[in-house]
Amino acid sequence: MREVAFRIEDVIDEYMFHVARYQNQHDYLHKMACCVKNLMSRHKIASKIQAIKKSVGEIRERMEKYGVNFLSEHGNSERQNTWHDPRIASLFIEEAQLVGIEPPKADLIRLLVQGESKNTVISVVGMGGLGKTTLAKKVYDSEIASSHFDCKAWITVSQSYKMEELLRNMIKELQREKAQPAFDGIENMNELSLIKKLREHLSEKRYIVVLDDVWRIDFWGYVRNAFPDNDKGSRIIITTPNEDVAPSSKESSIYYVYKLQSLPHDKAFELFCKKAFQSKERNCPSELLELSHAIVEKCEGLP
Protein backbone atom coordinates (compact mmCIF):
# COMPACT_ATOMS: atom_id res chain seq x y z
CA MET A 1 0.00 0.00 0.00
CA ARG A 2 2.87 2.36 0.78
CA GLU A 3 4.45 1.58 -2.60
CA VAL A 4 1.14 2.29 -4.39
CA ALA A 5 0.81 5.58 -2.49
CA PHE A 6 4.26 6.63 -3.75
CA ARG A 7 3.27 5.72 -7.31
CA ILE A 8 0.12 7.86 -6.99
CA GLU A 9 2.21 10.83 -5.81
CA ASP A 10 4.55 10.39 -8.79
CA VAL A 11 1.67 10.31 -11.28
CA ILE A 12 0.16 13.48 -9.78
CA ASP A 13 3.54 15.23 -10.05
CA GLU A 14 3.87 14.07 -13.66
CA TYR A 15 0.38 15.33 -14.47
CA MET A 16 1.07 18.71 -12.86
CA PHE A 17 4.29 19.09 -14.83
CA HIS A 18 3.12 17.93 -18.27
CA VAL A 19 -0.57 18.86 -18.36
CA ALA A 20 -2.02 21.00 -15.57
CA ARG A 21 0.37 23.93 -15.92
CA TYR A 22 -0.98 24.56 -19.45
CA GLN A 23 -4.66 24.56 -18.42
CA ASN A 24 -4.74 28.30 -17.77
CA GLN A 25 -3.24 29.34 -21.12
CA HIS A 26 -5.40 32.10 -22.69
CA ASP A 27 -3.90 31.86 -26.20
CA TYR A 28 -6.13 29.27 -27.94
CA LEU A 29 -3.59 28.28 -30.61
CA HIS A 30 -0.80 27.97 -28.09
CA LYS A 31 -3.08 25.93 -25.84
CA MET A 32 -3.96 23.55 -28.67
CA ALA A 33 -0.30 23.18 -29.64
CA CYS A 34 0.60 22.24 -26.07
CA CYS A 35 -2.32 19.79 -25.94
CA VAL A 36 -1.10 17.98 -29.09
CA LYS A 37 2.45 18.02 -27.80
CA ASN A 38 1.35 16.42 -24.52
CA LEU A 39 -0.77 13.65 -26.05
CA MET A 40 2.03 11.14 -25.48
CA SER A 41 2.46 12.27 -21.87
CA ARG A 42 -1.31 12.04 -21.29
CA HIS A 43 -1.33 8.52 -22.74
CA LYS A 44 1.54 7.42 -20.46
CA ILE A 45 -0.12 8.98 -17.40
CA ALA A 46 -3.43 7.29 -18.23
CA SER A 47 -1.66 3.93 -18.56
CA LYS A 48 0.03 4.42 -15.18
CA ILE A 49 -3.30 5.32 -13.54
CA GLN A 50 -4.86 2.14 -14.94
CA ALA A 51 -1.94 0.10 -13.58
CA ILE A 52 -2.35 1.72 -10.15
CA LYS A 53 -6.09 0.97 -10.15
CA LYS A 54 -5.27 -2.64 -10.95
CA SER A 55 -2.76 -2.78 -8.06
CA VAL A 56 -5.32 -1.32 -5.65
CA GLY A 57 -7.84 -3.96 -6.77
CA GLU A 58 -5.30 -6.73 -6.17
CA ILE A 59 -4.53 -5.36 -2.69
CA ARG A 60 -8.22 -5.33 -1.82
CA GLU A 61 -8.58 -8.94 -3.02
CA ARG A 62 -5.64 -10.04 -0.85
CA MET A 63 -7.08 -8.20 2.15
CA GLU A 64 -10.43 -9.97 1.72
CA LYS A 65 -8.73 -13.32 1.12
CA TYR A 66 -6.66 -13.15 4.32
CA GLY A 67 -9.29 -11.39 6.46
CA VAL A 68 -7.39 -8.12 6.85
CA ASN A 69 -9.90 -5.38 7.61
CA PHE A 70 -7.87 -2.64 9.28
CA LEU A 71 -9.24 0.12 7.05
CA SER A 72 -12.81 -0.37 8.25
CA GLU A 73 -14.42 1.60 11.07
CA HIS A 74 -14.53 -1.57 13.17
CA GLY A 75 -10.84 -2.19 12.55
CA ASN A 76 -9.88 1.32 13.58
CA SER A 77 -11.83 1.15 16.83
CA GLU A 78 -10.25 -2.21 17.58
CA ARG A 79 -6.78 -0.78 17.08
CA GLN A 80 -7.58 2.17 19.35
CA ASN A 81 -8.91 -0.10 22.07
CA THR A 82 -5.82 -2.32 22.05
CA TRP A 83 -3.21 0.49 22.04
CA HIS A 84 -1.51 1.17 25.35
CA ASP A 85 0.60 4.13 26.38
CA PRO A 86 4.16 2.76 26.79
CA ARG A 87 4.88 5.23 29.61
CA ILE A 88 2.26 3.71 31.93
CA ALA A 89 4.58 0.86 32.95
CA SER A 90 7.25 3.37 33.98
CA LEU A 91 4.86 4.84 36.58
CA PHE A 92 4.76 1.58 38.55
CA ILE A 93 8.40 0.45 38.60
CA GLU A 94 9.54 -0.53 42.08
CA GLU A 95 12.49 1.37 43.56
CA ALA A 96 14.51 -1.87 43.86
CA GLN A 97 14.29 -2.40 40.08
CA LEU A 98 15.88 0.97 39.28
CA VAL A 99 19.56 1.64 38.70
CA GLY A 100 21.39 4.98 38.76
CA ILE A 101 18.32 7.01 39.74
CA GLU A 102 19.45 8.25 43.17
CA PRO A 103 21.75 11.14 42.09
CA PRO A 104 19.23 12.80 39.69
CA LYS A 105 16.40 12.12 42.16
CA ALA A 106 18.33 13.91 44.91
CA ASP A 107 19.06 16.82 42.54
CA LEU A 108 15.38 17.25 41.66
CA ILE A 109 14.17 17.00 45.27
CA ARG A 110 16.70 19.69 46.23
CA LEU A 111 15.29 21.96 43.50
CA LEU A 112 11.78 21.31 44.80
CA VAL A 113 12.34 22.20 48.45
CA GLN A 114 15.15 24.74 48.21
CA GLY A 115 15.60 27.95 46.26
CA GLU A 116 13.28 30.85 45.55
CA SER A 117 9.78 31.26 46.95
CA LYS A 118 8.54 32.22 43.50
CA ASN A 119 6.91 29.63 41.22
CA THR A 120 9.77 27.63 39.73
CA VAL A 121 9.63 25.55 36.54
CA ILE A 122 11.98 22.55 36.36
CA SER A 123 12.27 20.94 32.93
CA VAL A 124 13.66 17.40 32.82
CA VAL A 125 15.08 16.99 29.31
CA GLY A 126 16.43 13.89 27.56
CA MET A 127 15.87 11.57 24.61
CA GLY A 128 13.00 9.08 24.64
CA GLY A 129 13.65 6.02 26.80
CA LEU A 130 16.11 7.77 29.12
CA GLY A 131 13.76 7.46 32.11
CA LYS A 132 12.39 11.01 32.48
CA THR A 133 8.89 9.84 33.42
CA THR A 134 10.21 7.26 35.88
CA LEU A 135 12.46 9.82 37.56
CA ALA A 136 9.74 12.47 37.77
CA LYS A 137 7.27 9.92 39.24
CA LYS A 138 9.71 8.83 41.95
CA VAL A 139 10.31 12.45 42.90
CA TYR A 140 6.55 13.20 42.77
CA ASP A 141 5.77 10.19 45.03
CA SER A 142 8.60 10.85 47.48
CA GLU A 143 7.73 11.50 51.10
CA ILE A 144 9.56 14.84 50.99
CA ALA A 145 7.41 16.11 48.09
CA SER A 146 4.20 14.85 49.70
CA SER A 147 4.88 16.55 53.03
CA HIS A 148 6.32 19.78 51.59
CA PHE A 149 3.40 20.70 49.31
CA ASP A 150 -0.28 21.34 50.12
CA CYS A 151 -1.53 19.69 46.92
CA LYS A 152 -0.16 18.07 43.79
CA ALA A 153 -1.21 16.82 40.34
CA TRP A 154 0.32 14.52 37.73
CA ILE A 155 -0.77 15.27 34.15
CA THR A 156 0.28 13.34 31.04
CA VAL A 157 0.30 15.73 28.08
CA SER A 158 1.72 13.82 25.05
CA GLN A 159 1.67 14.96 21.41
CA SER A 160 -2.09 15.29 21.00
CA TYR A 161 -4.03 16.88 23.82
CA LYS A 162 -7.09 19.04 24.42
CA MET A 163 -6.39 21.96 26.72
CA GLU A 164 -9.85 21.90 28.33
CA GLU A 165 -9.58 18.18 29.08
CA LEU A 166 -6.08 18.67 30.46
CA LEU A 167 -7.26 21.45 32.79
CA ARG A 168 -10.21 19.34 33.98
CA ASN A 169 -7.90 16.45 34.78
CA MET A 170 -5.66 18.81 36.71
CA ILE A 171 -8.59 20.05 38.79
CA LYS A 172 -9.70 16.48 39.53
CA GLU A 173 -6.18 15.47 40.57
CA LEU A 174 -5.86 18.45 42.92
CA GLN A 175 -9.31 17.71 44.31
CA ARG A 176 -8.22 14.23 45.44
CA GLU A 177 -5.33 15.59 47.46
CA LYS A 178 -5.75 15.87 51.24
CA ALA A 179 -9.55 15.96 51.27
CA GLN A 180 -9.92 19.03 49.07
CA PRO A 181 -13.52 20.20 48.46
CA ALA A 182 -15.15 18.95 45.26
CA PHE A 183 -15.46 21.23 42.24
CA ASP A 184 -18.95 21.43 40.80
CA GLY A 185 -19.82 21.93 37.14
CA ILE A 186 -16.33 21.65 35.67
CA GLU A 187 -17.52 19.31 32.89
CA ASN A 188 -19.45 22.20 31.33
CA MET A 189 -16.78 24.88 31.79
CA ASN A 190 -14.77 26.34 28.90
CA GLU A 191 -11.02 26.87 28.94
CA LEU A 192 -11.16 30.38 30.46
CA SER A 193 -13.48 29.30 33.27
CA LEU A 194 -11.29 26.29 34.07
CA ILE A 195 -8.18 28.49 34.29
CA LYS A 196 -9.99 30.87 36.64
CA LYS A 197 -11.14 27.95 38.80
CA LEU A 198 -7.59 26.59 39.01
CA ARG A 199 -6.10 29.96 39.88
CA GLU A 200 -8.70 30.49 42.56
CA HIS A 201 -8.05 27.06 44.08
CA LEU A 202 -4.25 27.40 44.04
CA SER A 203 -4.02 31.04 45.10
CA GLU A 204 -3.23 30.28 48.76
CA LYS A 205 -1.52 26.90 48.36
CA ARG A 206 1.99 25.62 47.83
CA TYR A 207 1.53 23.17 44.98
CA ILE A 208 3.51 20.85 42.72
CA VAL A 209 2.28 19.91 39.23
CA VAL A 210 4.05 17.50 36.87
CA LEU A 211 3.39 17.96 33.13
CA ASP A 212 4.74 14.75 31.65
CA ASP A 213 5.78 14.23 28.02
CA VAL A 214 5.41 17.73 26.57
CA TRP A 215 6.16 18.06 22.84
CA ARG A 216 4.85 21.44 21.67
CA ILE A 217 7.03 24.52 22.00
CA ASP A 218 4.03 26.79 22.63
CA PHE A 219 2.53 24.55 25.35
CA TRP A 220 3.99 26.36 28.37
CA GLY A 221 2.83 29.71 26.99
CA TYR A 222 -0.76 28.42 27.07
CA VAL A 223 -0.81 26.55 30.36
CA ARG A 224 1.26 28.94 32.51
CA ASN A 225 -1.80 31.16 33.06
CA ALA A 226 -3.38 28.41 35.18
CA PHE A 227 -0.63 28.66 37.82
CA PRO A 228 -0.79 31.72 40.09
CA ASP A 229 2.55 32.92 41.46
CA ASN A 230 1.62 33.32 45.11
CA ASP A 231 5.20 33.44 46.42
CA LYS A 232 4.76 30.21 48.40
CA GLY A 233 7.47 28.09 46.75
CA SER A 234 5.26 26.20 44.29
CA ARG A 235 6.94 24.02 41.64
CA ILE A 236 6.05 22.83 38.12
CA ILE A 237 8.00 19.92 36.59
CA ILE A 238 7.97 19.46 32.81
CA THR A 239 9.38 16.33 31.14
CA THR A 240 10.19 16.62 27.44
CA PRO A 241 12.44 14.96 24.84
CA ASN A 242 13.08 18.34 23.19
CA GLU A 243 15.12 21.04 24.91
CA ASP A 244 13.47 23.71 22.73
CA VAL A 245 10.16 22.92 24.49
CA ALA A 246 11.58 23.64 27.96
CA PRO A 247 11.11 27.20 29.28
CA SER A 248 14.59 28.66 28.86
CA SER A 249 16.78 29.41 31.86
CA LYS A 250 18.03 32.41 29.83
CA GLU A 251 14.50 33.83 29.91
CA SER A 252 14.10 33.76 33.70
CA SER A 253 16.01 32.80 36.83
CA ILE A 254 13.04 30.66 37.94
CA TYR A 255 13.33 28.34 34.92
CA TYR A 256 15.69 25.38 35.38
CA VAL A 257 16.64 22.88 32.66
CA TYR A 258 17.83 19.55 34.06
CA LYS A 259 19.45 17.41 31.36
CA LEU A 260 19.12 13.74 32.22
CA GLN A 261 22.25 11.81 31.30
CA SER A 262 22.45 8.29 29.88
CA LEU A 263 23.64 5.50 32.19
CA PRO A 264 27.37 4.70 32.34
CA HIS A 265 28.23 1.22 31.07
CA ASP A 266 28.55 -0.41 34.51
CA LYS A 267 25.12 0.85 35.62
CA ALA A 268 23.55 -0.04 32.27
CA PHE A 269 24.98 -3.56 32.55
CA GLU A 270 23.67 -3.89 36.12
CA LEU A 271 20.18 -2.88 34.96
CA PHE A 272 20.34 -5.26 32.00
CA CYS A 273 21.21 -8.19 34.26
CA LYS A 274 18.32 -7.32 36.60
CA LYS A 275 15.89 -7.41 33.69
CA ALA A 276 17.32 -10.26 31.62
CA PHE A 277 18.21 -12.77 34.37
CA GLN A 278 15.36 -13.19 36.82
CA SER A 279 17.18 -15.57 39.16
CA LYS A 280 17.77 -14.53 42.76
CA GLU A 281 21.41 -13.56 42.12
CA ARG A 282 20.57 -11.79 38.82
CA ASN A 283 24.10 -12.48 37.60
CA CYS A 284 25.02 -12.88 33.96
CA PRO A 285 26.07 -16.45 33.08
CA SER A 286 29.70 -16.56 31.96
CA GLU A 287 28.81 -17.96 28.51
CA LEU A 288 26.57 -14.92 27.86
CA LEU A 289 28.91 -12.20 29.12
CA GLU A 290 30.27 -11.15 25.74
CA LEU A 291 26.82 -11.08 24.13
CA SER A 292 25.30 -9.20 27.09
CA HIS A 293 27.98 -6.50 26.98
CA ALA A 294 27.41 -6.15 23.21
CA ILE A 295 23.66 -5.62 23.78
CA VAL A 296 24.33 -3.01 26.49
CA GLU A 297 26.78 -1.19 24.21
CA LYS A 298 24.13 -1.09 21.48
CA CYS A 299 21.62 0.50 23.89
CA GLU A 300 24.05 3.44 24.44
CA GLY A 301 23.06 3.97 28.06
CA LEU A 302 19.29 4.06 27.52
CA PRO A 303 17.40 2.16 30.24
Side-chain angles (χ1 to χ4, degrees):
M1 289 180 70
R2 189 181 295 115
E3 184 185 337
V4 169
F6 290 152
R7 286 166 60 193
I8 291 170
E9 287 183 1
D10 291 343
V11 167
I12 292 172
D13 286 342
E14 244 182 289
Y15 176 80
M16 296 299 291
F17 180 76
H18 289 294
V19 181
R21 62 176 177 161
Y22 297 112
Q23 296 292 339
N24 294 324
Q25 293 281 357
H26 296 293
D27 184 341
Y28 178 76
L29 290 175
H30 185 68
K31 190 173 182 180
M32 287 300 295
C34 290
C35 185
V36 172
K37 185 179 178 181
N38 288 321
L39 279 175
M40 186 60 72
S41 298
R42 287 170 174 266
H43 178 71
K44 286 181 179 178
I45 290 170
S47 298
K48 289 181 179 180
I49 290 173
Q50 289 301 319
I52 289 170
K53 289 174 72 175
K54 184 180 177 183
S55 297
V56 171
E58 290 171 354
I59 290 171
R60 179 175 292 279
E61 286 175 11
R62 287 199 295 273
M63 287 170 62
E64 291 171 355
K65 180 178 178 180
Y66 295 109
V68 179
N69 196 29
F70 59 82
L71 292 180
S72 69
E73 185 179 342
H74 173 70
N76 277 337
S77 64
E78 244 182 26
R79 279 154 58 102
Q80 289 169 4
N81 291 337
T82 56
W83 184 85
H84 299 287
D85 190 333
R87 290 183 312 280
I88 289 177
S90 62
L91 302 178
F92 301 100
I93 298 176
E94 298 296 332
E95 199 85 27
Q97 294 179 283
L98 299 172
V99 171
I101 198 173
E102 287 306 320
K105 181 181 174 184
D107 290 341
L108 285 187
I109 288 177
R110 178 175 48 79
L111 288 171
L112 289 185
V113 299
Q114 297 178 11
E116 298 190 39
S117 60
K118 288 184 172 295
N119 275 17
T120 301
V121 182
I122 305 159
S123 297
V124 182
V125 178
M127 69 172 70
L130 206 50
K132 301 180 296 298
T133 297
T134 301
L135 171 62
K137 191 67 167 67
K138 293 304 173 188
V139 170
Y140 178 81
D141 289 337
S142 68
E143 189 176 336
I144 294 174
S146 297
S147 59
H148 186 74
F149 296 95
D150 299 323
C151 58
K152 59 181 185 174
W154 178 282
I155 303 298
T156 300
V157 181
S158 296
Q159 294 187 59
S160 59
Y161 65 89
K162 294 181 180 178
M163 185 58 73
E164 290 182 5
E165 186 177 330
L166 188 147
L167 293 170
R168 285 192 192 95
N169 288 339
M170 202 182 301
I171 289 172
K172 290 173 183 176
E173 284 278 314
L174 293 166
Q175 176 186 319
R176 294 192 191 102
E177 287 295 315
K178 301 181 181 179
Q180 298 290 339
F183 295 100
D184 296 323
I186 62 170
E187 297 301 333
N188 299 319
M189 288 183 181
N190 60 23
E191 185 178 323
L192 181 59
S193 299
L194 289 166
I195 289 174
K196 287 180 178 177
K197 179 63 74 174
L198 266 170
R199 291 182 66 88
E200 180 186 328
H201 177 69
L202 296 174
S203 61
E204 297 300 323
K205 292 180 174 63
R206 180 192 293 153
Y207 54 87
I208 176 173
V209 175
V210 177
L211 302 168
D212 182 41
D213 198 36
V214 177
W215 286 76
R216 288 183 54 170
I217 291 175
D218 55 2
F219 175 79
W220 174 243
Y222 287 133
V223 80
R224 65 189 296 178
N225 298 312
F227 304 117
D229 190 355
N230 51 21
D231 221 30
K232 291 183 176 292
S234 297
R235 299 290 185 261
I236 296 101
I237 297 178
I238 293 173
T239 72
T240 176
N242 183 357
E243 190 174 349
D244 292 336
V245 170
S248 173
S249 52
K250 296 176 183 177
E251 184 182 338
S252 172
S253 61
I254 57 171
Y255 293 160
Y256 290 90
V257 176
Y258 187 87
K259 295 181 182 178
L260 192 57
Q261 302 300 315
S262 55
L263 292 172
H265 183 84
D266 60 330
K267 292 294 183 183
F269 186 74
E270 180 186 342
L271 178 60
F272 174 80
C273 291
K274 279 188 174 185
K275 291 290 185 182
F277 310 113
Q278 296 295 319
S279 62
K280 189 175 181 180
E281 295 79 15
R282 294 180 176 177
N283 293 327
C284 179
S286 57
E287 67 271 18
L288 294 176
L289 265 173
E290 186 178 345
L291 180 61
S292 297
H293 278 291
I295 292 171
V296 172
E297 284 288 342
K298 204 170 185 68
C299 292
E300 298 181 351
L302 290 179

